[in-house]
Amino acid sequence: MRAWSDRPFAPVTQLAEVAAAGARIAGENGQSTAVYESAAHPGWLVKRYKPGFPDEPPEVLDRLIGLPATMTPGELAVVDAATCWPVSRVVSGAATVGVILAKAPAEFFTEVRTPFGPPESVPLSLDQLVQADPEFYTARDLAVPDRRERVRVARNLLRLGALLERRDVVYGDWSYANLFWERGAGRVFLIDMDSCGLSSRPWVECNSWNDPAVPQGERLTVRTDRYKIAVAVLRVLTGVRGEDPHPALDALDTRLRTAPFGDALRCSLDEPPDLRPSSGELLELLESELDPRPARRAVPADPTPASAPPRRPAPPAPEPAPARPASAPPAPARAVSAPPTGPARAGRPAPAPPSGENDPFAPGYHPGAGIGAERLVVPLIIACLGVLALLLLSGVIAALLP
């Protein structure tokens, strides 16, 4: 795997160094005339720009290339694992003619059956995930994504979106083709990162993804990305696509749709840009709904590492209650509660996906599952008191008989 952290390039690279082309990845498309793997540097892609591109001054791309150097280790890990962050601007003389990017890892590709010929290796993009018809997967010999897999992709998408927003990076070009995902683990990988802006970027056409609050031609901001990321999350969780994202919201799992998470997604779609929740806030609400424990505090995504305070010792076990007279009524049962979780600490990693037994999306899940023997305490106390009462009554009757 190639990543920003192990780049072998300087921030600016002469075209002659990467002109020799290896495998061709894409032809003319959008801003580029071609994308190919560098013959001299396997695993690194060279994206050659059309004349007149990029739209922004070269200083913007240079700042974007250098931005990961200012990030925390946690943020940099996300950059390396989940993006093809640009690593070098390619120049010919004084002109910017391309950019160097990391090649997507193999785990984001899969073999699909084709109508005429052998199976082909294709990237697993959102186009393969946002599908509600099982026949789509049957025709390609692909497993149908389950609910847990969709949740993992949504989580990782929001973690990536939260990082970009914290750093004021505007992606803008959200679409079915630009986000890859991994089967099972649900990791994500965002491509075409070289077109990102800092604070804002030029408007870009994204069919079925355009922000209705932004007129065509206006510059895009992180608030525009908030809308598009919310739409992506809804489509990932439901498989429902279309120009209007509201049917995907209506198809959302009832528990999530009626919770604060669903309200926040609706706000992302319907409220003015200034009132849209951030990706970090959506992530906290999603994590809160997925955790079966009561009163959970959500852990921020990719926190800055810090030393955690010492752990408090576990509370001592309660002493047994003194024996009560047989004639006294039983005391009401005390609720058994889990130890307090305490506030989230900086440096704690984001929570792992829930295990099958506690996953609210898994079949057969029950909120009370896992409580164990505590449920038998009250019935046992009542049974013991009944036996004592019978013994006392027998003694009284025996004393009264001649």
Side-chain angles (χ1 to χ4, degrees):
M1 175 180 176
R2 298 291 184 260
W4 186 92
S5 293
D6 66 357
R7 63 202 184 283
F9 304 96
V12 176
T13 299
Q14 293 295 322
L15 176 60
E17 183 180 340
V18 291
R24 188 179 180 88
I25 306 300
E28 185 173 342
N29 183 27
Q31 295 183 348
S32 63
T33 60
V35 179
Y36 57 85
E37 187 168 4
S38 169
H41 302 278
W44 293 99
L45 304 182
V46 181
K47 181 178 181 179
R48 295 288 300 273
Y49 290 134
K50 294 177 180 178
F53 287 98
D55 298 319
E56 300 286 79
E59 292 78 12
V60 176
L61 182 54
D62 290 343
R63 288 170 54 206
L64 184 67
I65 289 170
L67 185 60
T70 69
M71 293 183 180
T72 67
E75 291 174 326
L76 186 55
V78 175
V79 166
D80 286 345
T83 73
C84 66
W85 203 281
V87 300
S88 186
R89 181 166 59 94
V90 180
V91 298
S92 178
T96 298
V97 296
V99 67
I100 302 174
L101 308 154
K103 184 179 179 180
E107 54 263 33
F108 294 101
F109 290 74
T110 191
E111 294 284 329
V112 298
R113 185 169 59 199
T114 59
F116 311 103
E120 294 181 358
S121 177
V122 299
L124 269 172
S125 65
L126 284 189
D127 196 35
Q128 280 80 33
L129 183 60
V130 186
Q131 299 286 343
D133 184 3
E135 283 300 317
F136 174 90
Y137 300 99
T138 301
R140 291 159 178 79
D141 198 23
L142 296 173
V144 178
D146 61 19
R147 290 173 293 178
R148 188 179 306 167
E149 196 166 29
R150 292 183 179 276
V151 166
R152 290 174 176 174
V153 173
R155 278 171 159 164
N156 288 320
L157 169 59
L158 287 172
R159 288 169 182 152
L160 175 57
L163 164 62
L164 296 179
E165 183 167 348
R166 282 198 303 274
R167 292 296 177 166
D168 208 17
V169 175
V170 185
Y171 183 72
D173 198 14
W174 298 95
S175 71
Y176 292 112
N178 286 348
L179 186 74
F180 298 170
W181 57 287
E182 180 187 4
R183 293 307 309 239
R187 292 172 53 219
V188 299
F189 192 85
L190 190 61
I191 65 171
D192 283 352
M193 288 289 297
D194 57 298
S195 62
C196 288
L198 298 173
S199 298
S200 68
R201 62 155 291 167
W203 191 87
V204 58
E205 174 70 33
C206 301
N207 292 328
S208 301
W209 297 82
N210 290 326
D211 183 351
V214 179
Q216 182 173 347
E218 279 196 8
R219 291 184 71 86
L220 307 179
T221 68
V222 292
R223 289 179 173 81
T224 306
D225 274 0
R226 287 180 179 181
Y227 170 85
K228 296 183 178 182
I229 291 173
V231 171
V233 167
L234 280 170
R235 290 172 174 170
V236 163
L237 289 174
T238 64
V240 176
R241 56 202 295 154
E243 187 71 29
D244 182 5
H246 289 86
L249 179 62
D250 296 338
L252 191 63
D253 177 270
T254 301
R255 173 177 174 178
L256 293 179
R257 188 179 69 252
T258 58
F261 175 69
D263 294 337
L265 287 172
R266 190 178 300 278
C267 179
S268 300
L269 302 184
D270 298 336
E271 295 298 327
D274 288 348
L275 298 181
R276 293 169 180 165
S278 68
S279 294
E281 291 168 332
L282 287 177
L283 176 61
E284 290 184 0
L285 292 172
L286 178 60
E287 296 283 10
S288 179
E289 288 304 317
L290 295 176
D291 193 329
R293 295 174 296 173
R296 177 185 180 273
R297 296 257 187 114
V299 180
D302 301 311
T304 302
S307 58
R311 298 177 59 185
R312 292 179 299 174
E319 296 181 0
R324 301 180 56 86
S327 59
R334 297 177 61 189
V336 179
S337 61
T341 58
R345 298 191 183 104
R348 181 183 296 173
S355 62
E357 62 179 337
N358 288 326
D359 185 359
F361 286 83
Y365 168 79
H366 299 288
I371 295 177
E374 292 91 336
R375 294 178 292 178
L376 303 178
V377 172
V378 174
L380 287 174
I381 292 175
I382 294 174
C384 291
L385 290 175
V387 172
L388 290 174
L390 288 174
L391 292 174
L392 178 62
L393 181 60
S394 299
V396 172
I397 294 174
L400 294 177
L401 292 176

